[in-house]
Amino acid sequence: LSKTIENMHEKDITISEKAKKELEKMNNLTEDIILKTIQILKERNLQYVLDVEALKEVSEIKRERYKSEHIQRLKEGTCNVESGISFIEILTVFEKITYHCVSTTIAISNLVNNEKFTNKQAFSSRIYANHSKLLREMLNSYTLKYED
């Protein structure tokens, strides 16, 4: 992330106000995921696993929407290729952070429950099977919290 930001400053690359707001939203969302993951690590409280899963879903939805809107800005000429590359690189960093947090959540959950899930898909399937109503409520809540 710092390399991308540094490169933007060195080359005087700017992004649109809309893109800045989108990145700020993704930053806040990613920060929330990190903080919930830290709570899981510190407290071994698996209640936050559902939070991380719901936040991950919101993050994925937002990221895809922001990429689509970015492509539209490129087509309209309100964004150039250099700033667009930087925008996508930053979104990718947020995505990687999110998936590292999810992996950490899975590891702690496995440790606490003495279980072994070999992949994220199996873990997510179990969460959705056992907590679908609560997860939907959390997803709705986080969607509203991070609404544009």
Side-chain angles (χ1 to χ4, degrees):
L1 184 58
S2 62
K3 273 185 173 181
T4 301
I5 302 295
E6 188 177 305
N7 184 48
M8 289 174 70
H9 286 293
E10 287 174 3
K11 294 182 178 181
D12 199 29
I13 298 171
T14 59
I15 58 175
S16 68
E17 286 303 312
K18 174 90 170 137
K20 285 179 187 175
K21 287 179 182 177
E22 290 168 351
L23 291 177
E24 183 178 341
K25 187 72 70 171
M26 288 302 295
N27 181 69
N28 293 340
L29 184 53
T30 305
E31 181 180 6
D32 206 358
I33 292 169
I34 293 167
L35 292 174
K36 297 291 185 207
T37 303
I38 290 169
Q39 286 178 300
I40 293 167
L41 282 166
K42 281 183 171 180
E43 302 169 18
R44 301 292 198 254
N45 184 342
L46 298 182
Q47 169 199 349
Y48 300 116
V49 169
L50 295 177
D51 288 286
V52 171
E53 184 67 25
L55 286 162
K56 178 198 74 156
E57 292 293 328
V58 172
S59 177
E60 288 174 347
I61 292 165
K62 290 254 179 242
R63 191 172 43 257
E64 289 307 312
R65 192 169 114 229
Y66 292 161
K67 283 180 182 180
S68 293
E69 290 175 1
H70 164 68
I71 290 168
Q72 189 59 38
R73 287 192 295 268
L74 278 170
K75 287 178 182 177
E76 293 169 352
T78 58
C79 177
N80 65 46
V81 174
E82 279 190 331
S83 64
I85 290 170
S86 297
F87 179 81
I88 295 298
E89 284 177 354
I90 294 169
L91 283 180
T92 301
V93 169
F94 289 137
E95 179 180 26
K96 288 178 180 180
I97 292 168
T98 296
Y99 286 119
H100 286 304
C101 288
V102 169
S103 294
T104 301
T105 299
I106 292 170
I108 297 302
S109 179
N110 288 342
L111 180 69
V112 169
N113 291 323
N114 198 27
E115 296 175 326
K116 192 172 193 174
F117 289 96
T118 56
N119 61 48
K120 293 174 188 162
Q121 186 67 33
F123 185 77
S124 291
S125 293
R126 188 197 72 173
I127 288 175
Y128 278 94
N130 295 334
H131 305 286
S132 63
K133 185 177 186 233
L134 180 56
L135 195 55
R136 272 194 308 272
E137 290 170 4
M138 294 174 100
L139 187 56
N140 289 336
S141 175
Y142 285 123
T143 298
L144 289 173
K145 179 178 180 179
Y146 291 102
E147 199 170 47
D148 292 318

